Amino acid sequence: MNLVSGGEAPQAFEWQSRVRLVDEVARVLRQRIYTGFYPPGELLRQVQLSEDLKVSRTPLREALRMLQSEGLVEADGVRGVSVARADRRRLLDAYTMREMLDGLAARQAAERGAERAHALLDPMIAAQRGTLEPWSPADYTRFNVDFHSAIIALADNEFLNAQLALVRKTSQVFAPAVLISHERAGPAIAEHERIVAAIASGDGDVAERLGRAHIHETILCLKRELQGESGCAGTVAVPPAVIGHRRPTA
């Protein structure tokens, strides 16, 4: 029995348990959704998936139920199972939650992991900058998710860890193209640098404000885009109390 991942050659697996099979099917489907192989709204036909992944319908259905519990797919009695998509309200609600999540994560990262901040996060920022020329939106998005996930890891809070799926969902599933445009990427990386500096300084108040401001800028950008406007290239305004914590430039 084998399982084929999107864009990969078939791989042989020896399944030791039913649970492992379901987990692996879910992992492959999850990765395909995150990479855009299955875009939002895509109908996931079980017969086709079963043939494609070389698995029976029963573990496939269980894997789809797992993804449904994560909010990655939706099911209805008419169309079947499809990749989750976000209308205007759902999109803004998700990012409003992210604003709170990222702010708290930055605060607790400053309080619990300041000494590891530069070592862990600076290489991720450097990797993000490397995606700008030539512009690689897929790599930029992947490193962006890694960056925000690493801050949650530094926060060392099991309840924040439980929200990691939201970071991936908003960044890799729900986000419109404007949020991963070259125009927005440069200012966003600059915001990341200021967040890292605040975390490394151990200042939870400043780190939280910058973490929230970073996502709030995304919310404002989304609102402008949804209203048919442009102008998402700007970086967030830095509160006066934060200026002294900016990272020195060479």
Side-chain angles (χ1 to χ4, degrees), residues 21 44 61 85-87 111 124-125 133 141 154 177 182 199 205 224 249:
L21 174 57
L44 301 178
R61 283 194 294 268
R85 53 185 169 187
D87 57 20
E111 295 170 349
M124 295 181 181
I125 291 178
E133 299 297 339
T141 300
L154 280 176
H182 187 270
I199 291 173
D205 287 342
R224 290 193 293 268
T249 55

Side-chain angles (χ1 to χ4, degrees), residues 63-78:
L64 289 172
R65 280 196 290 268
M66 184 184 298
L67 297 185
Q68 186 178 3
S69 71
E70 297 172 10
L72 290 177
V73 302
E74 301 169 335
D76 64 55
V78 178

Side-chain angles (χ1 to χ4, degrees), residues 74-204:
E74 301 169 335
D76 64 55
V78 178
R79 297 186 71 240
V81 179
S82 58
V83 179
R85 53 185 169 187
D87 57 20
R88 182 181 188 277
R89 178 172 178 174
R90 192 179 191 194
L91 190 61
L92 292 175
D93 282 350
Y95 273 97
T96 299
M97 183 66 182
R98 275 289 307 276
E99 182 178 356
M100 298 173 63
L101 170 67
D102 283 48
L104 177 58
R107 168 181 285 278
Q108 293 202 309
E111 295 170 349
R112 300 176 178 180
E115 70 284 352
R116 294 181 289 138
H118 281 308
L120 180 62
L121 299 172
D122 285 357
M124 295 181 181
I125 291 178
Q128 279 189 295
R129 286 207 174 278
T131 68
L132 297 180
E133 299 297 339
W135 172 230
S136 175
D139 288 334
Y140 171 81
T141 300
R142 177 165 54 87
F143 290 131
N144 182 58
V145 169
D146 289 346
F147 175 82
H148 288 284
S149 299
I151 291 178
I152 292 176
L154 280 176
D156 193 23
N157 181 325
E158 65 174 297
F159 298 101
L160 284 174
N161 287 339
Q163 300 301 317
L164 274 173
L166 180 63
V167 175
R168 284 192 173 276
K169 187 157 57 176
T170 51
S171 298
Q172 294 180 286
V173 182
F174 286 170
V178 65
L179 297 182
I180 52 173
S181 67
H182 187 270
E183 184 180 40
R184 171 62 186 148
I189 293 171
E191 293 161 21
H192 286 177
E193 289 179 324
R194 288 197 289 274
I195 292 170
V196 173
I199 291 173
S201 75
D203 193 325

Side-chain angles (χ1 to χ4, degrees), residues 193-194 197-198 201-203 206 209-210 241-248:
E193 289 179 324
R194 288 197 289 274
S201 75
D203 193 325
V206 172
R209 285 202 298 272
L210 286 175
V242 177
I243 293 176
H245 291 274
R246 285 191 180 187
R247 185 178 178 183

